[in-house]
C-alpha cells in the first residue's frame, strides 16, 4: 500500500494519432470539396445544389458536428409549437429527403458556422474535431496501458534468458498447444471461449507457467471489490490445484486506498499479489523462477 504508483498513464495514453489520421483519410477529399461552401452568402441554396450533384458529400456532415453517429433521429417543432420527429441518415444519403438534411444543417447552426465563423479550412477544423473525439477513447486506453506496461516488464524479465518465454493475451488452449502445460479452462460470462489472461510466462526448466492478470485503479468504487472477488474465486476454484501453474495478480493505483478490505480478503486467498513497484524491484522475475510450493508458503508472510 505504501509503494503504489499514482498513475499508469504513459504519454501515449492521451491521444492516438494513428486513429486521428485514419479517420481523416476517409473524409479528407469530401471536406476539400465542402470548402466551397465556407463564407458563401447563399449557403443553403448552394449546399442544396452541391448535394444534388454529389450526394456522397452528405456522409461528411456528421463529423462537422463532432458526431460519430451517422443515422440521426431528430426531435423538432412545427410552426404551431407541436413536436414531431424525422430521420437523417448520412451513411446512406437519400436525395428524396434532401430538404430534411438541409433543415437539420440549418437548425443545428452548421450553416451559420460555415458562413460566418469558420476561419480555417474544413480539413484543419476536422483534424481538431477528430483529436477531440479521440479523447473519448481514453477510458479504453487505460486498460491498454496496463497491457503495454506488462509486456514491457515481461520482455525485461525474459530478455537474454533462454529458459523463459512469455505470451500476452494467452488462453489455456494456446498454452497447452504451444507449451504443453494444462491450464484449467475458465469460462467468462458473456464471452466465447476460455479466459484470456493478460500474460503468461513459461519456465522451461521447471516446466511451469506463471499466469498473470493486471489492472490499475485511479479511483475507488464497487469495481475494486468485484475484481478482488473475481480473482480470488479464479484462484481458489481453478488455479490453486493446477499442476505446474502459478498465478500472479499485479494491481496498483490510488483507488485501493478506499478498498483495503477487499484487497485484504484477497490476500487470504491468493498467495502472490504485487504492485508495479514490486515488479520494478524484481519480484515478478523471482516468482517466475520459484517453485509452486515456495509460492504457496509466501502467504504466511504477507501482512496488510
Amino acid at each position: 500500500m505504501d509503494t503504489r504508483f499514482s498513475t499508469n498513464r504513459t504519454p501515449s495514453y492521451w491521444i492516438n494519432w494513428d486513429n486521428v489520421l485514419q479517420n481523416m483519410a476517409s473524409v479528407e477529399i469530401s471536406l476539400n470539396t465542402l470548402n466551397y461552401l465556407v463564407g458563401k452568402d447563399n449557403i443553403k441554396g448552394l449546399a442544396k445544389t452541391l448535394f444534388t450533384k454529389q450526394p456522397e458529400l452528405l456522409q461528411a456532415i456528421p463529423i462537422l458536428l463532432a458526431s460519430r453517429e451517422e443515422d440521426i433521429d431528430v426531435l423538432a417543432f412545427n410552426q404551431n409549437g407541436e413536436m414531431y420527429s424525422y430521420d437523417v441518415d448520412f451513411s446512406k444519403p437519400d436525395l428524396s429527403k434532401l430538404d430534411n438534411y438541409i433543415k437539420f444543417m440549418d437548425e443545428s447552426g452548421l450553416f451559420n458556422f460555415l458562413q460566418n465563423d469558420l476561419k480555417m479550412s474544413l480539413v484543419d477544423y476536422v483534424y481538431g474535431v477528430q483529436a477531440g473525439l479521440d479523447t473519448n477513447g481514453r477510458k479504453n486506453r487505460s486498460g491498454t496501458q496496463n497491457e503495454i506496461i506488462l509486456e514491457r516488464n515481461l520482455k525485461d524479465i525474459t530478455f537474454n534468458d533462454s529458459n523463459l518465454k512469455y505470451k500476452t493475451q494467452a488462453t489455456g488452449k494456446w498454452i497447452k498447444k504451444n507449451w504443453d502445460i494444462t491450464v484449467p479452462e475458465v469460462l467468462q460470462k458473456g464471452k466465447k471461449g476460455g479466459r484470456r489472461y493478460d500474460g503468461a510466462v513459461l519456465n522451461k526448466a521447471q516446466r511451469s507457467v506463471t499466469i498473470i492478470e493486471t489492472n490499475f485503479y485511479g479511483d475507488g468504487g464497487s469495481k475494486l471489490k468485484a475484481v478482488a472477488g473475481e480473482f480470488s474465486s479464479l484462484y481458489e476454484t481453478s488455479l490453486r490445484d493446477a499442476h505446474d501453474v502459478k498465478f500472479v495478480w499485479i494491481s496498483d493505483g490510488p483507488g485501493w486506498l478506499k478498498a483495503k478490505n477487499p484487497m485484504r480478503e484477497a490476500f487470504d486467498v491468493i498467495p502472490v499479489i504485487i504492485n508495479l513497484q514490486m515488479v520494478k524491484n524484481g519480484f515478478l522475475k523471482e516468482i517466475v523462477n520459484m517453485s509452486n510450493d515456495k509460492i504457496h508458503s509466501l502467504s504466511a508472510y504477507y501482512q496488510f
Side-chain angles (χ1 to χ4, degrees), residues 91-106:
S91 66
K92 299 176 182 177
D94 182 354
L95 285 182
S96 69
K97 298 180 179 179
L98 184 55
D99 286 343
N100 281 348
Y101 291 107
I102 297 297
K103 173 183 175 67
F104 174 74
M105 286 183 271
D106 184 30

Side-chain angles (χ1 to χ4, degrees), residues 201-225:
V201 180
L202 170 69
N203 185 316
K204 290 191 287 185
Q206 290 183 355
R207 279 199 48 77
S208 68
V209 64
T210 303
I211 299 298
I212 303 164
E213 290 282 16
T214 182
N215 43 45
F216 188 100
Y217 295 103
D219 297 307
S222 60
K223 176 67 175 176
L224 285 78
K225 181 177 181 180

Side-chain angles (χ1 to χ4, degrees), residues 15-26:
I15 191 164
N16 187 328
W17 292 107
D18 289 337
N19 281 350
V20 172
L21 295 173
Q22 184 177 346
N23 290 331
M24 280 298 302
S26 63

Side-chain angles (χ1 to χ4, degrees), residues 17-278:
W17 292 107
D18 289 337
N19 281 350
V20 172
L21 295 173
Q22 184 177 346
N23 290 331
M24 280 298 302
S26 63
V27 294
E28 191 166 358
I29 293 175
S30 295
L31 293 175
N32 277 310
T33 304
L34 288 170
N35 273 326
Y36 166 74
L37 297 176
V38 175
K40 293 294 194 296
D41 291 333
N42 182 26
I43 190 168
K44 283 194 286 185
L46 293 173
K48 197 167 186 177
T49 300
L50 185 60
F51 293 136
T52 300
K53 293 180 178 179
Q54 300 184 59
E56 71 278 3
L57 294 176
L58 286 166
Q59 295 173 336
I61 296 303
I63 196 60
L64 298 182
L65 300 172
S67 173
R68 298 280 192 219
E69 188 178 355
E70 296 180 315
D71 188 358
I72 301 173
D73 290 318
V74 183
L75 180 69
F77 295 87
N78 63 20
Q79 292 180 344
N80 297 323
E82 298 171 337
M83 291 185 294
Y84 69 100
S85 64
Y86 63 93
D87 172 77
V88 280
D89 186 353
F90 290 100
S91 66
K92 299 176 182 177
D94 182 354
L95 285 182
S96 69
K97 298 180 179 179
L98 184 55
D99 286 343
N100 281 348
Y101 291 107
I102 297 297
K103 173 183 175 67
F104 174 74
M105 286 183 271
D106 184 30
E107 294 187 351
S108 69
L110 179 59
F111 283 148
N112 181 67
F113 172 68
L114 296 179
Q115 184 179 50
N116 300 307
D117 300 317
L118 186 63
K119 305 302 180 185
M120 63 181 74
S121 76
L122 283 173
V123 173
D124 291 338
Y125 163 72
V126 172
Y127 265 115
V129 170
Q130 293 285 10
L133 288 174
D134 186 74
T135 62
N136 293 329
R138 286 179 183 166
K139 184 177 181 180
N140 293 331
R141 280 199 291 272
S142 182
T144 304
Q145 290 293 297
N146 290 331
E147 296 170 10
I148 292 171
I149 293 166
L150 177 61
E151 183 161 20
R152 292 188 67 166
N153 283 313
L154 294 182
K155 283 182 179 178
D156 183 56
I157 69 173
T158 59
F159 182 69
N160 277 346
D161 190 335
S162 59
N163 185 50
L164 302 178
K165 289 186 176 181
Y166 80 90
K167 175 76 169 74
T168 58
Q169 296 300 304
T171 62
K173 185 177 180 180
W174 187 96
I175 292 169
K176 179 63 177 177
K177 179 180 178 181
N178 292 273
W179 295 343
D180 196 28
I181 295 176
T182 300
V183 176
E185 196 78 356
V186 178
L187 298 179
Q188 287 183 280
K189 187 177 180 181
K191 295 184 179 181
K192 294 181 179 180
R195 187 182 186 100
R196 188 177 297 272
Y197 298 99
D198 292 329
V201 180
L202 170 69
N203 185 316
K204 290 191 287 185
Q206 290 183 355
R207 279 199 48 77
S208 68
V209 64
T210 303
I211 299 298
I212 303 164
E213 290 282 16
T214 182
N215 43 45
F216 188 100
Y217 295 103
D219 297 307
S222 60
K223 176 67 175 176
L224 285 78
K225 181 177 181 180
V227 77
E230 176 190 354
F231 289 147
S232 295
S233 177
L234 171 67
Y235 178 76
E236 199 166 27
T237 62
S238 301
L239 299 180
R240 173 161 40 197
D241 298 323
H243 184 60
D244 294 329
V245 177
K246 294 173 274 187
F247 177 60
V248 179
W249 177 21
I250 304 170
S251 196
D252 211 317
W256 286 112
L257 188 63
K258 299 179 181 178
K260 289 184 178 182
N261 287 339
M263 177 59 81
R264 177 65 184 85
E265 292 167 3
F267 266 85
D268 288 337
V269 178
I270 303 171
V272 183
I273 305 174
I274 59 178
N275 63 25
L276 293 175
Q277 182 64 45
M278 296 164 80

